[in-house]
Amino acid sequence: MLDPRHDPAVILVPGRRGLAVLAGEPLHAAWRSFILIALGIFLRSIGKPQTNFTFEDTLTQIGLGYFPLFLLGLAGSKIRWGALALILVGYWAAFALYQSPPSDFNYPSVGVPSDWPHLASGFAAHWNKNSNLAWAFDDWFLNLFPREKTFIRNGGGYATLSFIPTLGTMILGLIAGDWIKGQGSPGGKLGRMVVAGLIGIGLGLGLDYLGVCPMVKRIWTPSWVLFSGGICFLVLGFLYALIDLTGYAGWTYPLRVIGRNSIAAYCLAHLIDDFIRSSFRTHLPKKIFHHWGDAYEPLAAGAAVLAVYWLILLWMDRRKIYLKV
């Protein structure tokens, strides 16, 4: 969850002007949003014959939501909660009101097997893969850009409009940051996060179980926002108790190395992953990652690649080299 108050794009300045925002900050936040979106498109275009205009990956989704989140960071608590409710209810209603696919809908034409076990019927069909509102939007929107071939569907079912409920997740992060930084006893802050976590998980599961809103991570449905947000609150509460309340923070150093250079970490995964894996095949014994059995080879190889990423980030961290937008 993202809290812009921990971000250099948001600087509250006390003094003769009171608690004021520097005039250039909204422009900087807008510029940062643009850079994040452009960087996401650039990384997704690697190895393609032309620019691959796509807006559903992590970086572009954060970029699309960053500027409105920045503005909400300047607003009061009631406005933030109201924006969260509007996003969740409004996005749910938009999908619910959009026509569901007819019984004879040609799913194979949009990359979904007719016997795919996750195809829902009834009301839940409004959220079926590559036949919902977000898919219809991309079928129009993405074809406005130059493309190698006409966009028909996303293989994973991901969609541009997912940035809207993703903004809901980001708002939860903003709220959590305010709770931690605000007034109140440490025990009270911890209790608030635990209660929020349990409520979020309960609401998400309940909406899914009752058939009101299915929990679909790939299109970030409102029920998933609540469920995943609840888990984040519980994890944050656990870490707050472990690190802030007990002072047991030494073990977090490997994570801080990554967190201080998160954009660099994301770029590494897109730019040199194939190079690292091919280097392993060239210079290491052929079966080295099969030591624990073929089933665990992807896990072992992935862990080795992650270790290389971390060593690069450690080198950067020790030399104070950070990629920032």
Side-chain angles (χ1 to χ4, degrees):
M1 294 190 288
L2 184 64
D3 179 4
R5 291 203 173 194
H6 294 158
D7 191 280
V10 181
I11 308 171
L12 298 179
V13 184
R16 288 179 298 176
R17 296 165 54 194
L19 198 61
V21 182
L22 291 178
E25 287 181 9
L27 292 178
H28 176 78
W31 174 249
R32 188 175 211 189
S33 294
F34 171 77
I35 292 298
L36 290 172
I37 294 168
L39 181 58
I41 294 173
F42 170 78
L43 293 174
R44 284 300 186 98
S45 300
I46 294 174
K48 305 291 184 180
Q50 66 182 72
T51 303
N52 182 27
F53 288 98
T54 177
F55 301 88
E56 86 292 342
D57 66 282
T58 301
L59 212 54
T60 52
Q61 290 280 294
I62 293 175
L64 289 169
Y66 182 80
F67 186 69
L69 185 72
F70 168 85
L71 297 178
L72 287 170
L74 307 178
S77 177
K78 291 182 179 179
I79 293 178
R80 295 172 191 174
W81 282 107
L84 176 62
L86 180 63
I87 287 170
L88 297 184
V89 175
Y91 199 70
W92 170 85
F95 271 70
L97 294 174
Y98 182 76
Q99 61 183 8
S100 62
S103 57
D104 60 346
F105 184 80
N106 187 5
Y107 280 105
S109 68
V110 291
V112 183
S114 299
D115 58 350
W116 194 50
H118 302 292
L119 288 176
S121 59
F123 184 68
H126 287 275
W127 288 268
N128 273 351
K129 180 179 179 181
N130 290 340
S131 58
N132 53 56
L133 172 66
W135 163 79
F137 175 83
D138 275 349
D139 192 41
W140 164 75
F141 176 66
L142 294 181
N143 284 311
L144 298 177
F145 298 90
R147 313 195 71 81
E148 182 183 8
K149 57 183 179 180
T150 302
F151 175 86
I152 299 175
R153 52 34 176 216
N154 180 282
Y158 300 100
T160 301
L161 288 182
S162 294
F163 86 90
I164 298 174
T166 297
L167 177 58
T169 299
M170 297 163 76
I171 293 172
L172 290 176
L174 179 63
I175 291 169
D178 272 354
W179 285 354
I180 291 177
K181 294 176 62 179
Q183 301 296 321
S185 66
K189 296 177 181 180
L190 176 59
R192 183 179 291 184
M193 285 185 278
V194 171
V195 171
L198 295 176
I199 291 175
I201 292 173
L203 286 175
L205 290 174
L207 291 172
D208 180 73
Y209 177 77
L210 295 174
V212 176
C213 180
M215 199 181 301
V216 186
K217 175 183 177 294
R218 292 194 176 191
I219 54 174
W220 220 259
T221 56
S223 56
W224 174 257
V225 172
L226 294 168
F227 176 76
S228 61
I231 292 176
C232 288
F233 271 117
L234 291 182
V235 172
L236 181 62
F238 170 76
L239 294 175
Y240 174 72
L242 182 64
I243 298 170
D244 291 68
L245 302 189
T246 68
Y248 185 53
W251 63 275
T252 64
Y253 178 72
L255 301 178
R256 284 183 278 132
V257 167
I258 300 173
R260 283 193 288 258
N261 232 342
S262 56
I263 293 181
Y266 191 86
C267 291
L268 287 174
H270 281 270
L271 294 172
I272 65 170
D273 183 87
D274 290 341
F275 170 74
I276 294 173
R277 293 179 185 274
S278 65
S279 296
F280 285 162
R281 290 191 292 269
T282 300
H283 302 290
L284 297 179
K286 300 300 182 185
K287 294 291 185 178
I288 188 170
F289 296 123
H290 295 263
H291 178 75
W292 293 278
D294 292 347
Y296 294 97
E297 184 274 337
L299 177 63
V305 171
L306 181 61
V308 175
Y309 292 161
W310 189 84
L311 290 172
I312 295 173
L313 295 171
L314 176 64
W315 179 87
M316 296 176 69
D317 188 65
R318 289 182 172 177
R319 287 158 180 78
K320 308 299 181 184
I321 301 173
Y322 303 111
L323 295 187
K324 297 181 179 181
V325 177

